[in-house]
Amino acid sequence: MLKTINILNKRAKFDYEIIETYTAGIVLTGTEIKSIRLGKANITEGFCEFHNSELFAINTQIEEYLYGNQFNHKAKSERKLLLNKRELRKLEKAFDTKGLTIIPLKLFTNEKGIAKLDIGLCRGKKTYDKRESLKEQDTKRDLDRIKKSF
């Protein structure tokens, strides 16, 4: 029985309007997956770019494995993402033409213990959109408090 790991990018929903989401596999080394299983990863500063029609996650930080030796990995490095060709072409087309960005939303392990990354095709929010989302959160919180008191 494997423990599932969920590492979220909480800033993504606040800073970006998420248009479409995809689940991608990640090419990792042995010490990287061990660190992820310990929950020592951070994807809040990460983004994705295309190099030679391949998608890479950049600035995703997976801390070095504590018990790793000389074969330990670098904390911040480019990691290749695995998607279908059709999905890659669709993402690359939207990325180039519309000026959208691709942001990692959630890093998790599935029931088999394989690490996956949820990525989102996103458009940056304006400051007034951010203020609206903060107002919505406040009103929702206030309504929950009122409901709880009754």
Side-chain angles (χ1 to χ4, degrees), residues 50-89:
F50 282 95
H51 298 291
N52 299 329
S53 69
E54 293 179 340
L55 190 62
F56 287 90
I58 299 170
N59 262 356
T60 55
Q61 182 173 351
I62 300 173
E63 292 182 24
E64 289 186 358
Y65 184 58
L66 183 63
Y67 304 109
N69 54 13
Q70 68 207 25
F71 301 111
N72 217 344
H73 65 279
K74 295 178 186 173
K76 281 192 176 184
S77 64
E78 295 183 357
R79 292 173 176 89
K80 184 177 176 182
L81 299 179
L82 306 171
L83 288 167
N84 294 333
K85 286 183 183 180
R86 182 178 57 238
E87 292 173 335
L88 281 172
R89 280 192 296 253

Side-chain angles (χ1 to χ4, degrees), residues 1-57:
M1 182 112 155
L2 294 171
K3 181 179 135 186
T4 58
I5 302 296
N6 287 323
I7 299 167
L8 300 173
N9 185 355
K10 295 178 183 176
R11 294 286 304 174
K13 289 182 182 174
F14 181 71
D15 290 336
Y16 299 98
E17 173 190 342
I18 300 167
I19 298 168
E20 215 171 336
T21 60
Y22 297 94
T23 302
I26 317 171
V27 177
L28 297 171
T29 61
T31 54
E32 288 174 328
I33 190 66
K34 289 178 182 180
S35 288
I36 289 173
R37 287 181 183 151
L38 291 175
K40 308 226 177 205
N42 185 6
I43 58 171
T44 55
E45 299 172 1
F47 61 95
C48 300
E49 278 188 353
F50 282 95
H51 298 291
N52 299 329
S53 69
E54 293 179 340
L55 190 62
F56 287 90

Side-chain angles (χ1 to χ4, degrees), residues 75-125:
K76 281 192 176 184
S77 64
E78 295 183 357
R79 292 173 176 89
K80 184 177 176 182
L81 299 179
L82 306 171
L83 288 167
N84 294 333
K85 286 183 183 180
R86 182 178 57 238
E87 292 173 335
L88 281 172
R89 280 192 296 253
K90 185 177 178 183
L91 274 172
E92 191 169 18
K93 191 175 184 181
F95 185 73
D96 289 339
T97 58
K98 298 177 186 171
L100 302 174
T101 56
I102 303 170
I103 303 294
L105 303 174
K106 180 171 132 179
L107 178 65
F108 64 97
T109 57
N110 64 5
E111 60 276 351
K112 293 181 182 178
I114 298 171
K116 301 281 185 176
L117 185 69
D118 277 348
I119 57 174
L121 187 63
C122 303
R123 178 181 295 116
K125 280 187 182 178

